[in-house]
C-alpha cells in the first residue's frame, strides 16, 4: 500500500462526490443548470405569484426548450 | 406490497424501470459474456453475484430510509434528479437517432473486452481479473438502475413494485442473453433508451411540480399527457436534425 494515500473515508467521500458529479453534470452541464432555472422559475410562478395554470404549462415547456438547446449545442460542436 | 390498483402512475413506473433495467442489463451482460468466454465462468459469475448482492443491499438500505424524508422535499429532489437524468438519456438517444453520435455497439464492446482480457495472464484457481471486471460491469451499470428504483419507488410509495419490475428485466434479459449469447447488438437499445428518456423526463416533471405544490389538472393522468408531449418533442428534434444534416460525431460529448 502507498504511504501517501489519503485515508479510506476521504477516498470514499471523494468517490461518492465524483459519482454524483458525473451522474448529474457530466458532459451536459447545461441540462443541470436548466433544471435549476426551471425550478427557480416555477417556484416564482407557483409559490410567489400563485399562478398555477402558468406553472403547469411552463414546467414541461421549459424542459423541452432546455433539451432543444442542449441538442443544438451538440449539433454545433459536430459542425466544428 | 405490490399495489393492486393499476393507475397511470404505476404503469409509467413499471415501464420506465423495466426498460431502463433492460438497457443497463444488456450493457452489463456484454461485459460478463466477454469475461466468461475469455477467462472461464466461475470467477465471472462470482463477480456477478457479488455485484447483485451489493445492489440489493443499496436498495434495501436507502429505499426505506428515504421514505422518512418530508414528502414535498423528497418529490422536488427526486423530480429534479429524474428530469436531469431523463433529459441526458433523451439527448443521447436523439443525437444517435439523427446520426450526430455513434450508436452504442455491443459487438464492438464485446470484441474490445475479449481482446483486452486475452492479453492478461490467468490466475491458478480463482481469477481475480475475471471477478473484478464482471463485478465492476454489473455494479456500475446496475447503480443507475438502483437510483431509478429508489427515486421512482420511494416518490410514488411503490418501492416493491419498482424492485419487482427491475428484477424481472434483469432475469428476462439474463435468460434471453444467455441463450442468444453474442447477438446482443440486435437489441434495439437506442429506441429503448429513447423510451426510457421520455418516461423519466415525464416522471421528473410531474414530481418536480408536486414538490413545488403545482396542482396538476387530471392528477396522475397528467403523466400520460407529458409522455405524449415529450415523445412529440423528441420526434420533432430528430426530424429537424436529420433534415439539417450531420457533422462529425467525434466532436459530440
Amino acid at each position: 500500500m502507498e504511504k501517501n494515500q489519503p485515508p479510506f473515508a476521504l477516498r470514499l467521500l471523494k468517490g461518492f462526490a465524483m459519482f454524483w458529479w458525473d451522474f448529474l453534470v457530466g458532459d451536459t452541464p447545461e441540462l443541470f443548470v436548466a433544471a435549476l432555472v426551471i425550478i427557480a422559475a416555477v417556484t416564482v410562478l407557483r409559490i410567489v405569484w400563485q399562478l398555477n395554470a402558468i406553472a403547469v404549462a411552463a414546467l414541461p415547456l421549459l424542459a423541452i426548450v432546455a433539451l432543444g438547446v442542449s441538442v443544438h449545442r451538440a449539433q454545433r460542436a459536430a459542425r466544428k | 406490497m405490490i399495489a393492486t390498483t393499476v393507475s397511470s402512475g404505476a404503469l409509467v413506473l413499471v415501464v420506465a424501470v423495466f426498460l431502463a433495467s433492460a438497457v443497463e442489463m444488456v450493457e452489463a451482460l456484454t461485459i460478463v459474456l466477454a469475461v466468461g468466454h475469455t477467462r472461464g465462468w466461475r470467477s465471472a459469475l462470482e463477480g456477478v453475484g457479488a455485484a447483485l448482492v451489493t445492489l440489493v443491499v443499496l436498495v434495501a438500505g436507502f429505499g426505506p430510509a428515504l421514505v422518512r424524508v418530508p414528502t414535498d422535499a423528497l418529490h422536488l429532489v427526486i423530480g429534479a434528479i429524474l428530469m436531469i437524468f431523463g433529459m441526458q438519456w433523451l439527448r443521447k438517444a436523439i443525437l444517435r437517432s439523427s446520426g450526430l453520435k455513434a450508436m452504442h455497439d455491443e459487438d464492438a464492446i464485446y470484441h474490445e473486452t475479449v481482446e483486452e482480457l486475452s492479453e492478461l495472464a490467468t490466475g491458478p484457481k480463482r481469477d481475480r481479473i475475471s471477478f473484478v471486471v464482471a463485478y465492476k460491469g454489473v455494479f456500475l451499470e446496475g447503480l443507475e438502475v438502483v437510483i431509478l428504483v429508489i427515486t421512482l419507488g420511494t416518490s410514488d410509495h411503490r418501492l416493491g413494485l419498482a424492485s419487482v419490475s427491475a428484477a424481472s428485466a434483469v432475469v428476462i434479459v439474463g435468460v434471453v442473453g444467455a441463450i442468444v449469447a453474442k447477438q446482443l447488438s440486435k437489441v434495439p437499445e437506442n429506441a429503448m433508451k429513447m423510451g426510457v428518456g421520455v418516461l423519466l423526463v415525464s416522471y421528473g416533471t410531474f414530481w418536480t411540480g408536486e414538490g413545488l405544490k403545482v396542482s396538476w389538472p387530471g392528477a396522475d393522468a397528467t403523466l400520460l399527457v407529458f409522455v405524449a408531449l415529450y415523445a412529440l418533442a423528441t420526434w420533432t428534434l430528430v426530424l429537424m436534425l436529420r433534415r439539417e444534416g450531420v457533422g462529425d460525431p467525434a466532436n459530440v460529448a
Side-chain angles (χ1 to χ4, degrees):
Chain A
M1 205 162 125
E2 278 179 46
K3 258 186 173 178
N4 294 334
Q5 217 173 18
F8 178 71
L10 197 67
R11 276 184 286 145
L12 200 70
L13 199 70
K14 196 180 164 193
F16 184 74
M18 285 298 289
F19 168 76
W20 281 103
W21 176 267
D22 280 346
F23 189 73
L24 294 175
V25 181
D27 298 329
T28 51
E30 71 276 12
L31 292 178
F32 179 76
V33 173
L36 297 181
V37 171
I38 291 170
I39 290 171
V42 175
T43 304
V44 171
L45 286 170
R46 177 67 189 97
I47 299 173
V48 181
W49 294 340
Q50 305 283 318
L51 298 169
N52 188 66
I54 297 177
V56 165
L59 222 168
L61 291 179
L62 287 174
I64 290 170
V65 169
L67 186 63
V69 169
S70 182
V71 166
H72 180 65
R73 280 192 73 211
Q75 190 189 23
R76 266 191 13 212
R79 281 182 177 161
K80 272 180 190 168
Chain B
M1 199 177 101
I2 297 170
T4 47
T5 52
V6 179
S7 65
S8 44
L11 186 72
V12 174
L13 174 122
V14 168
V15 176
V17 172
F18 186 89
L19 284 179
S21 308
V23 169
E24 297 301 338
M25 181 64 186
V26 166
E27 292 178 9
L29 197 60
T30 302
I31 297 166
V32 174
L33 286 174
V35 176
H37 282 298
T38 321
R39 303 178 70 92
W41 289 100
R42 186 180 162 180
S43 297
L45 292 176
E46 284 173 355
V48 171
L52 288 176
V53 169
T54 316
L55 294 171
V56 169
V57 168
L58 284 177
V59 174
F62 286 102
L66 273 178
V67 176
R68 296 192 199 119
V69 176
T71 317
D72 281 348
L74 185 72
H75 283 167
L76 181 59
V77 172
I78 284 174
I81 290 174
L82 290 175
M83 201 153 66
I84 295 168
F85 196 35
M87 284 196 286
Q88 288 173 348
W89 274 47
L90 214 44
R91 173 187 180 274
K92 213 176 271 180
I94 290 169
L95 296 178
R96 282 185 175 143
S97 283
S98 55
L100 269 171
K101 193 175 172 73
M103 285 282 182
H104 199 266
D105 187 346
E106 296 300 336
D107 275 349
I109 293 168
Y110 178 87
H111 291 300
E112 217 170 90
T113 312
V114 165
E115 207 169 293
E116 278 170 18
L117 291 173
S118 304
E119 289 165 6
L120 301 167
T122 316
K125 281 183 185 172
R126 282 217 154 76
D127 186 354
R128 193 171 160 267
I129 293 169
S130 278
F131 180 89
V132 171
V133 174
Y135 180 88
K136 269 179 77 177
V138 174
F139 180 74
L140 292 178
E141 300 297 347
L143 208 52
E144 290 190 11
V145 173
V146 166
I147 290 171
L148 287 183
V149 167
I150 291 176
T151 50
L152 287 169
T154 51
S155 62
D156 217 5
H157 298 289
R158 288 180 175 123
L159 190 60
L161 187 64
S163 304
V164 169
S165 185
S168 313
V170 168
V171 170
I172 291 170
V173 174
V175 170
V176 174
I179 296 167
V180 301
K182 295 174 206 167
Q183 296 166 34
L184 291 170
S185 57
K186 289 184 179 148
V187 173
E189 213 179 313
N190 200 51
M192 285 165 76
K193 223 163 198 163
M194 196 177 272
V196 176
V198 167
L199 296 178
L200 293 185
V201 182
S202 303
Y203 238 114
T205 307
F206 185 82
W207 287 124
T208 303
E210 290 274 308
L212 296 173
K213 300 188 187 300
V214 171
S215 169
W216 297 116
D220 260 17
T222 314
L223 263 174
L224 299 178
V225 177
F226 289 154
V227 170
L229 188 68
Y230 287 123
L232 182 68
T234 302
W235 181 65
T236 310
L237 282 170
V238 171
L239 284 184
M240 274 167 59
L241 289 181
R242 280 184 185 165
R243 197 177 306 154
E244 288 173 21
V246 296
D248 183 3
N251 293 335
V252 179

